[in-house]
Amino acid sequence: PYDAVRIQNTAIPATEYTHLQSWIRTLDSTQTDKLSIFEQTTVLALWWFAQSDVDVAVVEVGMGGLRDATNVFSSVRNGIGSLVQCICPVDEDHLGMIGNNIEEIALEKSGIMRPGSWIVVANQERSEAFHKIRQEAHRTSPGRIINVRRQPTTDIHVPNFVIDSSDVPGHVRASSELPSWATFKGTGKRCLRVKYPPSPETYLKSTKPKEPQSKQPTKSKTEVDLPLELPGYYQAGNASVAFYALDVLRTHYGFTRLTDSAIQVGFQNVRWPGRLSWLNIAHRALIPGASDARSESPNDTVSERLCEWVLADGAHNEPAAVELRKYVDTTLRRISQQRYIRMARSRSSGTVCVRWVVGFTQGKDMRAILARLVQPGDIVWAVPFDQPKEMPWISCERPEQIAQTARAVSGIRVETFDCLKDAVDRLSACSADTYLNVVCGSLYLVANVFREFQIQPFPNK
């Protein structure tokens, strides 16, 4: 569990984690009201951040928001407190635990908002969620709300894209090498083009009622192209939220080192293991999901064999399954196009389908998820995952139950495995390029796959 607590992409040392954990549990043993394991871990992380004198901590809510253990920060006073709160797309995840409908869930997530702080609201597909979040935002911190849906952003390909990183410490990480069918081809670098106000006053004015237009010419907005390294259509929305949060930090809180170039370098270097991650199982390596092909590096050194690759994604609810299926369909189209171009189509090759290696946490809506993922011709391998450390409340669904649900949904061929290692060994032994291998259903399962293939999701610098 300590790999989730990081500073500058380096995890807290295991020995220090163990020492702090023991200290916190000793203190907790003297209290009447005991902390949960997650609350203890939250205390540990925040203590380590404070002792390390970090400038800014990015804290992800565990579940919900209002009643979550991470929701302990005060409003901003003298530059200290919860500076920015980001509300990402809300759907019916954890239904019955943090709310019985989408409005209750949105209200629970809005509980992280603080008076006087800035609130960045992602584009919401569910109108009920959007209206409830907007209502809470205007009630909590009026005049300090950035609605991403109303900001001018474009997911485009930029020819001859170059980052001027001369004034930025660190390095620009190159795009990763992927097979031609796993890259977003285009006329240039895939980027998110954003426009942002040149002054704090413009942000404030944009949240107030519109006034009659003046005849004086208005100052044009600033524009920047941000490289989108992470695959998936939805990542443009996530990138928008991240950018406007960073822009608030430099615009309102004095983080002047967050220049456009610095933000571009950060976007170029971003990695998100377990979300549309390509694993080369032949070389036991994580290819962190580059979003474009590098024109200067030919693909002749990169294996094009389907059997040597696995797509790992932690999709564990219906909205995430929809996005995963979109990406898989795009990949299948590229595979078909590449085979046609290379004259590789033959009677023996046939149509490429998907081999879904799935495992779920108990309580998930497996039927809804599988209905979004599985199509005729696909096959399903139902597997368990190991019990996550320090998470006794998590239990995996039995493979037999997954198989029963999969057959009821699609009527396709399903196999069950008593342990994940058996499925991994079968994948490693496959030599036919007839299936695209996808692991999904749980981030705990994805973490298990990384361990089975001995792949480090976050290699330290």
Side-chain angles (χ1 to χ4, degrees), residues 31-51:
Q31 305 300 311
T32 302
D33 296 325
K34 307 300 182 186
L35 297 177
S36 68
I37 294 176
F38 182 76
E39 288 170 335
Q40 291 175 2
T41 304
T42 302
V43 171
L44 184 154
L46 297 181
W47 176 266
W48 188 56
F49 291 159
Q51 292 301 301

Side-chain angles (χ1 to χ4, degrees), residues 98 105 120 152 276 284 331 342 348 386 403 406 432 446 451 455:
I98 59 174
I105 293 173
V120 180
L276 299 180
R284 303 296 173 104
T331 302
R342 299 182 182 186
S348 60
D386 295 340
V446 170
R451 288 193 292 270
I455 294 172

Side-chain angles (χ1 to χ4, degrees), residues 153-397:
T153 61
T154 311
D155 187 348
I156 63 172
H157 281 80
V158 180
N160 305 316
F161 176 80
V162 177
I163 298 176
D164 179 13
S165 58
S166 57
D167 61 339
V168 181
H171 67 286
V172 179
R173 190 171 181 175
S175 298
S176 302
E177 291 291 349
L178 288 170
S180 57
W181 41 262
T183 56
F184 283 85
K185 294 286 188 180
T187 56
K189 178 77 174 180
R190 184 188 177 213
C191 290
L192 178 72
R193 178 165 291 173
V194 297
K195 295 182 179 180
Y196 60 91
S199 68
E201 292 74 19
T202 316
Y203 261 140
L204 292 172
K205 289 178 182 177
S206 66
T207 62
K208 295 180 179 179
K210 291 185 178 179
E211 300 177 355
Q213 290 187 351
S214 171
K215 294 182 180 181
Q216 296 292 333
T218 58
K219 187 176 181 180
S220 60
K221 289 186 177 181
T222 307
E223 185 176 86
V224 61
D225 293 327
L226 305 170
L228 291 176
E229 279 296 301
L230 300 178
Y233 300 110
Y234 64 94
Q235 292 296 358
N238 289 334
S240 298
V241 173
F243 170 77
Y244 286 111
L246 292 170
D247 195 48
V248 164
L249 291 179
R250 66 180 178 181
T251 304
H252 297 280
Y253 296 113
F255 289 89
T256 56
R257 294 176 64 187
L258 287 173
T259 62
D260 284 352
S261 295
I263 295 175
Q264 286 177 318
V265 170
F267 271 65
Q268 177 70 31
N269 293 344
V270 71
R271 297 295 180 264
W272 196 352
R275 292 295 187 185
L276 299 180
S277 296
W278 287 102
L279 312 182
N280 188 312
I281 60 178
H283 297 92
R284 303 296 173 104
L286 166 66
I287 312 300
S291 62
D292 66 302
R294 294 169 62 191
S295 58
E296 70 273 19
S297 299
N299 265 319
D300 54 4
T301 60
V302 179
S303 174
E304 297 284 326
R305 297 290 308 278
L306 273 177
C307 61
E308 294 186 9
W309 295 90
V310 169
L311 177 64
D313 189 86
H316 56 273
N317 54 39
E318 190 175 0
V322 170
E323 295 298 331
L324 174 57
R325 185 70 225 194
K326 286 180 184 177
Y327 182 77
V328 166
D329 286 340
T330 301
T331 302
L332 292 176
R333 285 194 295 271
R334 294 196 200 104
I335 293 171
S336 177
Q337 291 167 357
Q338 290 295 322
R339 290 189 172 189
Y340 181 82
I341 292 171
R342 299 182 182 186
M343 304 299 291
R345 180 176 296 175
S346 64
R347 292 182 180 179
S348 60
S349 64
T351 302
V352 174
C353 296
V354 184
R355 179 188 287 114
W356 300 97
V357 183
V358 298
F360 296 99
T361 302
Q362 288 184 5
K364 294 296 181 182
D365 191 346
M366 297 186 294
R367 177 180 291 272
I369 295 171
L370 290 170
R372 292 290 190 178
L373 292 176
V374 181
Q375 294 187 0
D378 295 349
I379 62 175
V380 171
W381 286 5
V383 299
F385 55 78
D386 295 340
Q387 178 64 40
K389 293 181 179 180
E390 301 182 15
M391 293 184 176
W393 62 88
I394 297 293
S395 298
C396 71
E397 190 61 78

